[in-house]
Amino acid sequence: MRARAPARRREQLIWQLAHDEAAQLITLPVVRDLVKQTRGAFRLSEIADAVRAALNLPVGRLPVGPRVRDLLLDMQAADEIVMVSAPDELLEGTEVVLHRDPAWERVRTLGA
């Protein structure tokens, strides 16, 4: 059992380093600029793909989707965008909802 603990720790460190690198590369201004270029509703996957292309990131190297999702949620909290998609699943009644590829729409002019 001791041999497994270092392997789990190594995986955790790799995961943390990847998330830290994604946070340094994928910033709010990068995502905001890509959102500004959209017309109408846009999906998380579309913005994540645009970020990958803009930053020339290979698929699977960094957690692009989760980082972009977090920044889009920050923009939603700042009333810059609004979620326009319904949840894909309701878990525990309506307490927990699951969005597989949520869609948002701009609600006002985005600042720099």
Side-chain angles (χ1 to χ4, degrees):
M1 191 120 191
R2 285 186 179 177
R4 297 177 98 194
R8 276 187 260 147
R9 178 69 178 145
R10 182 174 182 267
E11 289 174 12
Q12 181 183 16
L13 288 172
I14 290 170
W15 178 87
Q16 184 61 48
L17 288 172
H19 274 76
D20 290 348
E21 185 177 351
Q24 290 177 358
L25 292 172
I26 305 166
T27 62
L28 186 56
V30 168
V31 171
R32 186 179 280 135
D33 186 53
L34 292 167
V35 168
K36 283 182 189 178
Q37 298 173 33
T38 64
R39 297 269 185 240
F42 58 89
R43 295 202 163 275
L44 167 60
S45 59
E46 295 167 340
I47 300 299
D49 289 345
V51 165
R52 255 188 226 98
L55 299 178
N56 199 26
L57 299 173
V59 175
R61 178 157 161 0
L62 295 176
V64 175
R67 176 63 181 162
V68 169
R69 179 205 58 222
D70 292 346
L71 292 171
L72 290 172
L73 290 172
D74 288 347
M75 291 175 69
Q76 179 180 325
D79 294 326
E80 296 178 47
I81 59 176
V82 63
M83 188 175 288
V84 294
S85 60
D88 293 305
E89 285 185 50
L90 299 176
L91 308 172
E92 300 176 22
T94 57
E95 296 290 318
V96 179
V97 297
L98 176 66
H99 292 269
R100 288 191 181 81
D101 193 13
W104 284 273
E105 197 169 81
R106 293 181 309 183
V107 293
R108 63 177 174 91
T109 305
L110 299 177

